[in-house]
């Protein structure tokens, strides 16, 4: 089911996960374009929360059950296609870390 924004509505239907086993034990299903788009959309949501690459990969693994290698591959492809964005994004993450550290120093 699609939401009005064209993104999958994760609350309505269970979505198969890449690398998950099918009905036959050990059977691995192929990754579809929909799987890639779903992970990309979830990564984009995490980017809005200023999560690091490691945090995103771990979050998608624990909460959405995506394999870490698959999420890492999608992230790498996004980085390749959006170099300027990710350069600025990583700068923002470093700045946020510095601000948090500075605020901790002020509290002590």
């Amino acid at each position: 089911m699609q939401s009005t924004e064209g993104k999958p509505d994760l609350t309505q239907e269970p979505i198969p996960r890449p690398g998950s086993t099918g009905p036959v034990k050990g059977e691995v299903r192929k990754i579809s374009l929909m799987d890639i788009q779903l992970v990309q959309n979830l990564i984009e949501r995490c980017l809005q929360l200023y999560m690091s690459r490691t945090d995103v990969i771990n979050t998608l693994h624990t909460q959405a059950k995506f394999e870490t290698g698959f999420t890492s591959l999608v992230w790498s492809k996004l980085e390749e296609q959006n170099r300027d964005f990710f350069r600025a994004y990583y700068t923002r993450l470093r700045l946020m870390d510095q601000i948090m550290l500075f605020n901790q120093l002020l509290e002590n």
Side-chain angles (χ1 to χ4, degrees):
M1 175 175 275
Q2 296 284 324
S3 71
T4 56
E5 300 170 324
K7 295 180 181 174
D9 185 354
L10 301 177
T11 62
Q12 298 299 316
E13 300 176 26
I15 300 196
R17 303 294 181 227
S20 64
T21 58
V24 177
K25 186 172 175 120
E27 177 185 338
V28 177
R29 71 176 196 82
K30 294 181 180 176
I31 296 172
S32 70
L33 180 59
M34 185 176 171
D35 293 328
I36 296 168
Q37 289 172 336
L38 175 57
V39 170
Q40 180 177 341
N41 288 337
L42 292 172
I43 289 172
E44 289 171 0
R45 289 183 194 178
C46 292
L47 291 175
Q48 292 172 350
L49 300 173
Y50 293 101
M51 295 173 68
S52 71
R53 177 183 177 132
T54 302
D55 291 338
V56 171
I57 291 169
N58 291 335
T59 298
L60 293 187
H61 179 68
T62 57
Q63 293 185 10
K65 307 299 184 222
F66 281 106
E67 293 182 10
T68 56
F70 180 64
T71 303
S72 181
L73 177 63
V74 174
W75 181 287
S76 295
K77 293 298 180 183
L78 287 171
E79 278 185 323
E80 288 175 17
Q81 297 169 359
N82 303 286
R83 292 177 195 258
D84 292 336
F85 169 81
F86 278 96
R87 186 176 11 254
Y89 183 76
Y90 289 131
T91 300
R92 278 184 239 134
L93 286 181
R94 283 192 303 271
L95 180 59
M96 288 177 61
D97 286 343
Q98 290 174 353
I99 289 170
M100 287 175 41
L101 180 60
F102 180 74
N103 287 336
Q104 288 175 355
L105 290 172
L106 289 177
E107 290 175 0
N108 295 332

